[in-house]
């Protein structure tokens, strides 16, 4: 039985309407992202081309200065140090620290007994669920000159260095690893639970040891989760500010001044909003580069 042109047209329209109907629940989320994410980002880029200030005449009526803030930025002697510290902080505390430690805990918890798994999981997640300001003060109390770590070192006859003065980046990276490892652990626990048991059993019957099964069987099967986790923790760590500011405030002598701290200092400590947003814009671009690289890695990891 042949269909009329009208029926054929209706049959083509209905799938289109159904596809558009599926998008309706997403519209509120898209609008919120545009207002609360894209809006501030666009404002930051715009402000970086002005001489906006926190107080004074430029606060009331900022003027357009073009690339002046960026010219000043790339001649600022603090910028190379801040860039290097940001890369060290992200690589040490996220890409290596949280990622590797989270995977190790997830693997070990699969082999541990249930009471041990419950205790370890609770201890690791407790640091993650703390408000960032509370975790920052706890880390400060632990690493300060008369803090918990030095009390423990002194009780066994070891030295008591001033961690926040002599080794500020080491203390900050360890604190960030302590606080953020739970996220990686949870991601990898879920990914490892999805690995088919018969695959690892087949590798075991073929004579593969524990490390061989992990390296050649398990990790390739969860590479998509690894890429996703790396992307999320990298972007989270790029934006860490409160932890650093409470522990060291970027000191001593800019020894822990990452890009978020530098942006805050310029915008709110020195009142130069235009220059501070130029620093923030560079940080946004770095995040976009990392995000694009991880998205590409995630696409390549799909079978």
């Amino acid at each position: 039985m042949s269909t009329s042109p009208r029926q054929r047209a209706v049959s083509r329209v209905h799938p289109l309407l159904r596809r558009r109907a599926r998008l309706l629940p997403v519209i509120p989320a898209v609008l919120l992202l545009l207002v609360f994410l894209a809006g501030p980002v666009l404002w930051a880029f715009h402000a970086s081309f002005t001489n906006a200030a926190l107080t004074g005449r430029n606060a009331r009526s900022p003027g357009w200065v073009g690339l002046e803030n960026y010219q000043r930025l790339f001649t600022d002697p603090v910028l190379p140090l801040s860039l290097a510290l940001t890369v060290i902080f992200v690589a040490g505390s996220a890409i290596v620290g949280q990622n590797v430690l989270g995977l190790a805990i997830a693997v070990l918890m699969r082999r541990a007994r249930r009471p041990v798994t419950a205790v370890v999981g609770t201890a690791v997640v407790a640091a993650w669920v703390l408000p960032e300001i509370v975790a920052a003060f706890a880390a400060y109390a632990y690493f300060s000159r008369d803090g918990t770590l030095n009390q423990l070192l002194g009780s066994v006859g070891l030295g008591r260095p001033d961690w926040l003065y002599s080794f500020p980046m080491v203390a900050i990276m360890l604190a960030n690893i302590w606080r953020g490892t739970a996220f990686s652990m949870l991601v990898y626990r879920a990914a490892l639970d999805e690995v088919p048991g018969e695959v690892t059993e087949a590798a075991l019957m073929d004579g593969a040891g524990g490390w061989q099964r992990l390296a050649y069987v398990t990790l390739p099967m969860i590479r998509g989760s690894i890429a996703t986790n790396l992307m999320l923790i990298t972007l989270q760590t790029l934006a860490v500010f409160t932890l650093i500011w409470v522990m060291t405030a970027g000191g001593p002598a800019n020894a822990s001044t990452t890009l978020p701290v530098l942006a805050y200092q310029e915008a709110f400590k020195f009142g130069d909003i235009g220059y501070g947003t130029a620093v923030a814009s560079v940080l946004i671009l770095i995040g976009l580069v990392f995000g694009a690289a991880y998205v590409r890695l995630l696409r390549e990891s799909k079978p």
Side-chain angles (χ1 to χ4, degrees):
M1 180 179 179
S2 62
T3 58
S4 65
R6 181 181 179 182
Q7 289 175 325
R8 288 195 297 269
V10 170
S11 65
R12 288 194 297 268
V13 170
H14 282 176
L16 180 60
L17 291 176
R18 285 196 295 269
R19 286 196 296 269
R20 291 183 177 179
R22 294 192 191 103
L23 297 177
L24 289 177
V26 184
I27 292 176
V30 173
L31 292 176
L32 289 174
L33 285 174
L34 290 175
V35 172
F36 294 105
L37 182 61
V41 169
L42 293 176
W43 180 89
F45 278 113
H46 173 267
S48 69
F49 294 101
T50 69
N51 59 359
L54 194 61
T55 59
R57 184 179 61 184
N58 291 337
R60 294 191 301 271
S61 57
W64 186 264
V65 296
L67 295 174
E68 183 178 316
N69 287 323
Y70 291 96
Q71 292 172 351
R72 174 186 166 191
L73 178 64
F74 290 108
T75 57
D76 190 340
V78 180
L79 180 66
L81 175 62
S82 294
L83 279 171
L85 291 175
T86 302
V87 171
I88 292 171
F89 179 61
V90 172
S93 67
I95 298 175
V96 175
Q98 295 179 27
N99 185 58
V100 174
L101 184 59
L103 177 61
I105 294 175
V107 171
L108 292 175
M109 286 178 68
R110 289 195 74 195
R111 303 179 180 180
R113 295 182 178 180
R114 182 166 295 181
V116 176
T117 300
V119 172
V120 173
T122 302
V124 175
V125 173
W128 185 48
V129 299
L130 283 175
E132 188 175 5
I133 187 68
V134 176
F137 276 111
Y140 176 82
Y142 185 79
F143 286 104
S144 63
R145 186 177 184 87
D146 298 319
T148 307
L149 179 58
N150 279 344
Q151 296 293 334
L152 294 173
L153 293 176
S155 66
V156 295
L158 299 177
R160 301 173 63 171
D162 190 343
W163 293 94
L164 300 179
Y165 184 83
S166 302
F167 311 102
M169 287 305 298
V170 173
I172 290 169
M173 285 192 292
L174 290 175
N176 194 53
I177 292 171
W178 162 70
R179 185 170 188 271
T181 297
F183 181 83
S184 297
M185 181 197 72
L186 294 174
V187 170
Y188 289 133
R189 280 295 304 274
L192 291 172
D193 288 341
E194 296 297 322
V195 176
E198 57 269 18
V199 176
T200 54
E201 289 176 4
L204 178 62
M205 294 183 65
D206 288 339
W211 288 107
Q212 291 175 320
R213 294 197 303 274
L214 178 65
Y216 299 111
V217 178
T218 303
L219 292 183
M221 296 191 71
I222 65 169
R223 60 186 184 274
S225 298
I226 294 174
T228 301
N229 182 65
L230 282 172
M231 178 177 67
L232 294 175
I233 63 174
T234 297
L235 297 180
Q236 290 170 358
T237 305
L238 272 174
V240 169
F241 166 77
T242 304
L243 187 72
I244 302 173
W245 188 255
V246 169
M247 292 182 69
T248 65
N254 294 320
S256 58
T257 302
T258 58
L259 287 175
V261 175
L262 179 62
Y264 176 85
Q265 288 177 335
E266 296 294 341
F268 298 104
K269 186 177 180 180
F270 304 124
D272 194 342
I273 299 294
Y275 187 58
T277 52
V279 178
S281 299
V282 172
L283 183 63
I284 292 171
L285 293 176
I286 293 174
L288 289 175
V289 171
F290 272 107
Y294 284 130
V295 167
R296 182 174 180 180
L297 179 63
L298 184 59
R299 289 177 179 174
E300 293 177 352
S301 68
K302 291 181 180 180

